[in-house]
Amino acid sequence: VIELARQNSIEVIERRISLAEFHAADEVFTTGTMGELTPVREIDARPIGWGPHAGQGAGPVTRKLQAAYRAFRDDPTNGVPLPEFHARAAL
């Protein structure tokens, strides 16, 4: 995700941040194998973001990264194909 961000001209700074910074963030997302890039709508019952769209979901940076991630994931030239699995009948 960090590499995809950099490839899409999104500044990346790796550092520890405080809970107060999370609460004040314009956007927060998590990453994971099953969730891919998932927007965080609230932390400690406080909506993320500001204005009328606070707590409503993915912001523009998260949406841009989600699109880049999907394009990377769906490109057959990326990754290593999984071997085929053939189940055997139970004896």
Side-chain angles (χ1 to χ4, degrees), residues 12-61:
V12 175
I13 301 171
E14 294 181 75
R15 67 176 178 85
R16 291 176 181 250
I17 63 172
S18 70
L19 184 56
E21 288 177 288
F22 273 113
H23 289 159
D26 292 332
E27 298 182 46
V28 175
F29 63 84
T30 63
T31 62
T33 304
M34 295 298 290
E36 299 179 354
L37 275 91
T38 303
V40 175
R41 295 173 188 250
E42 64 181 44
I43 297 174
D44 296 335
R46 298 178 188 189
I48 300 299
W50 52 273
H53 302 293
Q56 297 299 309
V61 175

